[in-house]
């Protein structure tokens, strides 16, 4: 049980492990141990060890766990081990200025983590005197989050509204996490390389702890829920004139695919699995910086947002919620619990161990 909160369980999807890895199973670990012992599923050579050694030791460990919202050291370790690239606000503003000057027949895409210019980002952790922002958004398509760069323009405006300084830092997944190559050669786009083995390790580490970015109190979350139309994507060499319908194995239906941008994602923000997970964590942690924006208010009012794991699981069971990868649905319920609830408080009887007032 402690490993479920402290370590990455690499075989969490195995049926024998999955039963014990679920959020509902971990809500009250002490009770879970007692029930397992009574049912005969758990045994101990010395009968008294469970109540005299194992459970007291588990309680002591749980009481020492800092909730994610307050866990400065855990957040720092996550960022450093993942080699998070925090984009400087000044670079985002510079990109928007450059994009506005480019002719319509030229393509300027916001860069991946690997192509960020030297000096345009902080690696690991930004300086302590810098504000930290994290962007919650859904990608416009499979191969780039915002081919038209409209989302970067909206981000620049949100940062201006938040009175961000040029040296403040922004987490934007595509430019903050190492990416695989998504575009081939001959398209008139800058060449891309795949992740190195070391970069792949950083990416996997980041993915396992990613919800920490949207639950930590030292981050201000900017929600950008707007859908980007494929008609606004720039034309590149060899690109199709419009999407074609193809069967998606993940979604089990025909979806639009547009070369070279990949699958088009027109699902509303509140119905995208990882977006819903990020919004739920950030809302519970009370760290959404632009909650008053009308588009964000529309998301807030689009569905009841969960206050506990049971409500979260119910939301995840909604068939309208879509994921881009198999297995994500089961995993995010556990993440919501791990990132949004205070186990140390739960040991003292606080309902659900919830953060905040």
């Amino acid at each position: 049980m402690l490993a479920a909160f402290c370590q990455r369980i690499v075989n969490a999807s195995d049926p024998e492990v999955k039963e014990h890895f679920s959020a509902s199973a971990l809500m009250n670990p002490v009770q879970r141990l007692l029930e397992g012992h009574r049912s005969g599923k758990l045994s101990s050579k010395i009968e008294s060890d469970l109540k005299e050694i194992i459970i007291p030791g588990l309680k002591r460990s749980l009481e020492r766990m800092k909730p994610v919202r307050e866990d400065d050291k855990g957040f720092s370790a996550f960022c450093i081990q993942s080699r998070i690239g925090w984009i400087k606000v000044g670079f985002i503003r510079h990109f928007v200025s450059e994009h506005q000057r480019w002719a319509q027949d030229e393509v300027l895409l916001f860069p991946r983590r690997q192509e960020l210019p030297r000096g345009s980002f902080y690696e690991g952790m930004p300086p302590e005197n810098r504000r930290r922002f994290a962007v919650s958004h859904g990608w416009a398509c499979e191969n780039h989050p915002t081919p038209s760069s409209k989302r970067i323009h909206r981000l620049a405006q949100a940062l201006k509204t938040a009175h961000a300084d040029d040296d403040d830092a922004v987490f934007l997944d595509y430019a903050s996490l190492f990416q695989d190559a998504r575009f081939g050669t001959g398209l008139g786009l800058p060449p891309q390389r795949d992740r190195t083995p070391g970069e792949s390790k950083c990416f996997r580490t980041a993915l396992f702890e990613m919800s920490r970015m949207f639950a930590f109190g030292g981050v201000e979350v900017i929600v950008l829920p707007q859908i980007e139309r494929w008609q606004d994507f720039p034309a590149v060499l060899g690109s199709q004139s419009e999407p074609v319908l193809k069967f998606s194995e993940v979604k089990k239906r025909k979806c639009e695919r547009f070369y070279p941008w990949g699958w088009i994602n027109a699902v509303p923000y509140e119905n995208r699995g990882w977006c819903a997970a990020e919004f739920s964590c950030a809302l519970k942690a009370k760290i959404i910086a632009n909650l008053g924006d009308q588009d964000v208010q529309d998301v807030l009012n689009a569905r009841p947002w969960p206050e506990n794991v049971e409500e979260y699981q119910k939301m995840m069971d909604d068939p309208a919620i879509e994921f881009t990868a198999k297995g994500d649905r089961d995993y995010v319920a556990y993440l919501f619990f791990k990132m949004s609830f205070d186990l140390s408080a739960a040991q003292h009887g606080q309902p659900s161990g919830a953060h905040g007032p």
Side-chain angles (χ1 to χ4, degrees):
M1 287 187 175
L2 287 176
F5 300 106
C6 305
Q7 301 290 334
R8 180 186 179 196
I9 300 179
V10 296
N11 63 333
S13 59
D14 290 357
E16 297 84 358
V17 180
K18 190 175 180 180
E19 175 188 357
H20 306 286
F21 189 63
S22 68
S24 57
L26 295 169
M27 280 293 290
N28 192 329
V30 172
Q31 186 64 29
R32 182 77 171 178
L33 279 178
L34 291 171
E35 290 174 356
H37 185 258
R38 284 196 294 267
S39 68
K41 291 183 178 180
L42 298 176
S43 61
S44 174
K45 287 184 178 180
I46 302 176
E47 193 71 17
S48 60
D49 279 359
L50 181 67
K51 291 186 177 181
E52 295 179 7
I53 299 176
I54 297 174
I55 288 179
L58 177 61
K59 284 184 174 181
R60 285 194 298 271
S61 297
L62 294 175
E63 288 173 354
R64 291 171 182 166
M65 286 186 183
K66 263 198 170 184
V68 169
R69 192 178 189 281
E70 304 167 9
D71 188 8
D72 296 87
K73 289 183 178 179
F75 184 79
S76 178
F78 154 65
C79 292
I80 292 170
Q81 291 175 18
S82 305
R83 293 179 59 194
I84 297 294
W86 291 89
I87 312 155
K88 293 181 181 179
V89 171
F91 175 74
I92 293 171
R93 289 168 174 159
H94 173 74
F95 176 88
V96 168
S97 178
E98 286 292 302
H99 189 264
Q100 289 171 335
R101 286 199 292 265
W102 279 53
Q104 287 189 348
D105 59 347
E106 295 182 282
V107 180
L108 180 63
L109 298 178
F110 201 76
R112 302 184 307 161
R113 168 73 167 85
Q114 289 97 317
E115 282 88 45
L116 283 176
R118 185 185 297 273
S120 66
F121 66 99
Y122 306 105
E123 182 172 299
M125 280 291 287
E128 290 186 5
N129 63 340
R130 297 291 92 195
R131 292 168 71 188
R132 293 167 292 206
F133 297 90
V135 182
S136 177
H137 68 118
W139 285 30
C141 59
E142 179 184 6
N143 291 334
H144 198 277
T146 174
S148 73
S149 294
K150 286 188 174 182
R151 187 159 299 139
I152 306 302
H153 287 253
R154 291 191 177 102
L155 173 58
Q157 182 57 51
L159 291 166
K160 180 180 179 180
T161 301
H163 305 291
D165 292 335
D166 279 351
D167 289 330
D168 288 337
V170 178
F171 171 87
L172 179 68
D173 50 7
Y174 183 75
S176 296
L177 304 175
F178 293 110
Q179 303 291 322
D180 269 335
R182 297 176 182 273
F183 298 114
T185 58
L187 296 172
L189 298 173
Q192 295 185 343
R193 62 168 176 82
D194 283 331
R195 302 184 191 105
T196 65
E199 290 170 350
S200 293
K201 182 179 180 180
C202 289
F203 181 81
R204 291 192 300 270
T205 300
L207 204 61
F208 180 72
E209 291 284 330
M210 186 46 58
S211 293
R212 189 179 288 271
M213 185 66 70
F214 301 94
F216 177 56
V219 171
E220 300 171 70
V221 173
I222 293 176
V223 178
L224 299 178
Q226 301 85 357
I227 292 176
E228 191 168 317
R229 305 184 320 146
W230 65 261
Q231 291 90 339
D232 295 327
F233 293 3
V236 298
L237 292 174
S239 64
Q240 295 170 318
S241 58
E242 61 182 33
V244 295
L245 285 175
K246 290 194 174 183
F247 185 79
S248 166
E249 288 291 341
V250 174
K251 297 188 177 182
K252 300 301 180 184
R253 68 170 188 270
K254 286 188 175 182
C255 299
E256 290 184 317
R257 193 171 175 85
F258 191 14
Y259 181 81
W261 306 109
W263 297 105
I264 303 300
N265 199 340
V267 177
Y269 174 94
E270 63 272 13
N271 289 341
R272 300 189 188 199
W274 282 101
C275 291
E278 293 165 2
F279 191 84
S280 297
C281 289
L283 184 65
K284 190 160 188 62
K286 298 179 173 60
I287 56 173
I288 299 178
N290 63 332
L291 189 60
D293 290 0
Q294 186 56 56
D295 288 334
V296 183
Q297 282 291 303
D298 290 343
V299 171
L300 183 65
N301 297 322
R303 63 166 64 250
W305 293 96
E307 284 291 327
N308 54 52
V309 173
E310 289 80 7
E311 292 176 3
Y312 187 87
Q313 188 63 64
K314 183 179 179 181
M315 181 179 75
M316 286 294 111
D317 289 338
D318 182 349
I321 296 282
E322 295 191 6
F323 286 90
T324 54
K326 296 177 181 178
D328 284 349
R329 190 180 299 271
D330 294 329
Y331 185 56
V332 293
Y334 160 70
L335 281 181
F336 178 72
F337 170 64
K338 179 180 177 180
M339 299 300 174
S340 297
F341 289 85
D342 181 357
L343 278 173
S344 61
Q347 304 314 301
H348 299 287
Q350 183 174 327
S352 298
H355 289 330

